[in-house]
Amino acid sequence: MSHDTGQWEATATSHGAAEDPEWSRLSPRLLLVNLSMLAGPLALFAVTVALTGANLQALISLGSLLIVFLVITGISTMRLLTTRFRVTAERVELRSGLLFRSRRSVPIDRVRSVDVEAKPVHRLFGLASLRIGTGEQGASSRRLSLDGITRRQARRLRRLLIDRRGSGHATGQDQDVTIAEMDWAWLRYAPLTIWGVGSVFAAVGTAYRILHEMKVDPLELGVVKDIEDRFGSVPLWFGILVAVVITAVVGAAVSTATFVDAWTNYRLEREGVGIFRIRRGLLISRSVTIEERRLRGVELAEPMLLRWAGGATLSAIASGLSNSQENRSRCSLTPPVPRDEALRVAADVLAEEGSPTELTKLVRHSRAALRRRINRGLLVLAAVVAVPLGLGLWLTPVLVHTAWITALVGLPVVIVLANDAYRSLGHGIRDRYLVVRAGTFARRTVAVQRDGVIGWNISRSYFQRRSGLLTIGATTAGVGCHKVRDVSVGAGLAFAEEAVPRLLAPFIERVPRG
């Protein structure tokens, strides 16, 4: 350990004993991480030469890629040499840059999140990245990242910031309360997502584009030619069926591998007083911290296939965690688990006897909401049918038959999905929570604290006005807007008034009867 690191540890543990602590550096091991970045393009270069020979266009493309990685390595090395950081009694300070110098400072009382992440190469050299967020919307520059400190430094700095922030107190490991931890029986839920299939198409598209840029025709490769010679005479319908089965199997395998990578070593625990910590990851190790006082509620998500299997996922709704997309990805409290387990975790995290997402009696929406869902489904079906119908009238009558068969099969599917979406709609109030549910392909039930609602967002499309419906959203500070979709005007306004009395009243014009 360098002299600067030792000095930082001394000042960190003194809790403000030194008024002006020394500046610390990133670990010198980061240089080895930077050099390892060149392994990827060099390996790709060797594989390309072995498969395609000395293709001039491929060599030029890979040479350009190698130069780009050399530049990135140089920039990363310069960051290692110029970056300094320190923690004072009141602020976290970071300075970096040689030609363009940057100096950032964040008050301790503005720190909203302290996360630790270690990528595979960083873990190989005993390093980690510490990310300190302030929770300001759209202010990425207010987020400090220390990429390339030792894991020991990361743990100590995280604890120091939590203690000085007043979010908790130092505790031993035996004092932490485990709420949930990995059960490998949950692996059965891993294939029940569409992300694996989507990643297969993305990987194939990316590979095709790369080969095309290198002037290599994938259809002319020896492996592809061999497959074409062996199976080129099979019927088209059989080839399509085999392709669908292979895509589904590969997609399920990718989803399972993603689950293993993301959730190995998973543990959700209440750390000390007022801190939740989620640790997980096989290749990339992550540790996310959520302050209990910033917890506004939970979201129970049930994608269709997972719902049919009796599973669900649970996420925290918490303020001060930057934009909504990042908030969603960082606040996953559980992997896909049995629904009862997700409800148990929700009740434990919210310190309630039961999860409000399950105990709240939801109000059903009017039948006009069902008609809207049927009409939208029919519009989508009409667009799908129009494609083969138009081509059939232009090219071949076979596609016309495909169009009417698609319409015949698709009509009951639309009706079933529309009814399922309608049954999913609901809203209600239980104690200090308002609860909203919607969705069919991914049903989401949100329970948000009523005292966290700072406003209502009301919208009405032309077709909603004709049906006497509106969409009303509960806006919460630093979290987002949770919408009650396609609710009747009277029921929606009454719900808003009951959930947060007098917040909406100044904006309502009452029409006298008679």
Side-chain angles (χ1 to χ4, degrees), residues 188-260:
R188 66 184 184 272
Y189 296 114
L192 303 179
T193 64
I194 62 173
W195 302 113
V197 175
S199 63
V200 171
F201 286 110
V204 172
T206 301
Y208 180 86
R209 184 174 180 180
I210 292 175
L211 292 174
H212 179 73
E213 291 294 331
M214 294 190 300
K215 304 300 182 183
V216 177
D217 187 357
L219 299 179
E220 297 298 327
L221 294 177
V223 176
V224 177
K225 284 291 186 181
D226 184 57
I227 295 176
E228 184 180 358
D229 292 339
R230 291 188 178 187
F231 304 103
S233 60
V234 300
L236 178 61
W237 66 268
F238 183 76
I240 294 176
L241 178 62
V242 171
V244 170
V245 171
I246 292 176
T247 301
V249 171
V250 174
V254 171
S255 296
T256 302
T258 302
F259 179 96
V260 173

Side-chain angles (χ1 to χ4, degrees), residues 65 67 78 92 131 154 185 188 207 222 232 271 302 369 385 396 422 511:
L65 182 64
I67 292 175
M78 187 60 65
V92 182
R131 308 191 186 281
R188 66 184 184 272
E271 188 180 52
E302 301 169 271
V385 171
T396 172
Y422 172 69
V511 180

Side-chain angles (χ1 to χ4, degrees), residues 193-495:
T193 64
I194 62 173
W195 302 113
V197 175
S199 63
V200 171
F201 286 110
V204 172
T206 301
Y208 180 86
R209 184 174 180 180
I210 292 175
L211 292 174
H212 179 73
E213 291 294 331
M214 294 190 300
K215 304 300 182 183
V216 177
D217 187 357
L219 299 179
E220 297 298 327
L221 294 177
V223 176
V224 177
K225 284 291 186 181
D226 184 57
I227 295 176
E228 184 180 358
D229 292 339
R230 291 188 178 187
F231 304 103
S233 60
V234 300
L236 178 61
W237 66 268
F238 183 76
I240 294 176
L241 178 62
V242 171
V244 170
V245 171
I246 292 176
T247 301
V249 171
V250 174
V254 171
S255 296
T256 302
T258 302
F259 179 96
V260 173
D261 176 51
W263 294 102
T264 296
N265 302 318
Y266 160 72
R267 181 184 295 269
L268 168 63
E269 55 193 1
R270 182 179 278 105
E271 188 180 52
V273 176
I275 289 291
F276 293 111
R277 186 180 186 186
I278 305 104
R279 290 186 284 184
R280 61 188 179 94
L282 178 62
L283 297 179
I284 300 178
S285 175
R286 298 180 178 88
S287 172
V288 176
T289 299
I290 302 175
E291 291 182 281
E292 188 170 9
R293 63 185 176 184
R294 299 194 175 279
L295 189 67
R296 296 291 178 263
V298 295
E299 178 186 82
L300 185 75
E302 301 169 271
M304 182 175 286
L305 295 180
L306 191 60
R307 175 163 36 116
W308 291 346
T313 62
L314 187 72
S315 299
I317 300 174
S319 63
L321 292 176
S322 189
N323 58 63
S324 58
Q325 183 61 35
E326 184 180 4
N327 185 42
R328 182 178 296 277
S329 63
R330 294 176 60 247
C331 285
S332 297
L333 294 177
T334 70
V337 297
R339 191 172 187 274
D340 290 342
E341 174 68 9
L343 296 175
R344 181 195 68 79
V345 173
D348 202 336
V349 167
L350 296 176
E352 302 286 347
E353 292 185 1
S355 173
T357 60
E358 183 71 8
L359 300 180
T360 306
K361 184 178 180 180
L362 300 182
V363 178
R364 298 191 66 176
H365 292 199
S366 67
R367 302 287 291 183
L370 173 60
R371 292 195 295 272
R372 274 179 55 79
R373 275 145 186 78
I374 293 176
N375 291 337
R376 283 186 293 191
L378 292 176
L379 287 175
V380 174
L381 179 61
V384 172
V385 171
V387 175
L389 179 60
L391 293 176
L393 295 175
W394 182 33
L395 298 176
T396 172
V398 175
L399 293 178
V400 175
H401 295 294
T402 302
W404 71 260
I405 292 174
T406 302
L408 188 64
V409 174
L411 184 60
V413 174
V414 167
I415 300 300
V416 170
L417 291 178
N419 277 274
D420 183 73
Y422 172 69
R423 287 193 299 270
S424 296
L425 287 176
H427 62 277
I429 296 173
R430 180 179 177 85
D431 300 331
R432 61 194 185 106
Y433 295 95
L434 62 86
V435 181
V436 177
R437 188 180 68 191
T440 181
F441 294 106
R443 177 187 292 174
R444 300 184 184 278
T445 309
V446 175
V448 181
Q449 295 174 0
R450 295 160 62 186
D451 56 9
V453 177
I454 61 174
W456 293 99
N457 187 338
I458 300 176
S459 62
R460 301 185 72 190
S461 68
Y462 170 76
F463 295 103
Q464 282 181 314
R465 291 196 298 271
R466 287 179 59 88
S467 302
L469 304 176
L470 56 78
T471 295
I472 183 167
T475 303
T476 51
V479 174
C481 184
H482 304 284
K483 297 180 179 181
V484 183
R485 301 181 185 277
D486 292 333
V487 63
S488 62
V489 174
L493 298 180
F495 171 70

Side-chain angles (χ1 to χ4, degrees), residues 113-143:
S113 61
V114 186
D115 300 340
V116 180
E117 180 178 292
K119 297 179 181 179
V121 180
H122 285 71
R123 295 176 67 183
L124 181 63
F125 296 104
L127 301 179
S129 299
L130 189 82
R131 308 191 186 281
I132 304 168
T134 62
E136 296 183 13
Q137 300 292 332
S140 59
S141 62
R142 301 298 297 169
R143 182 175 180 177

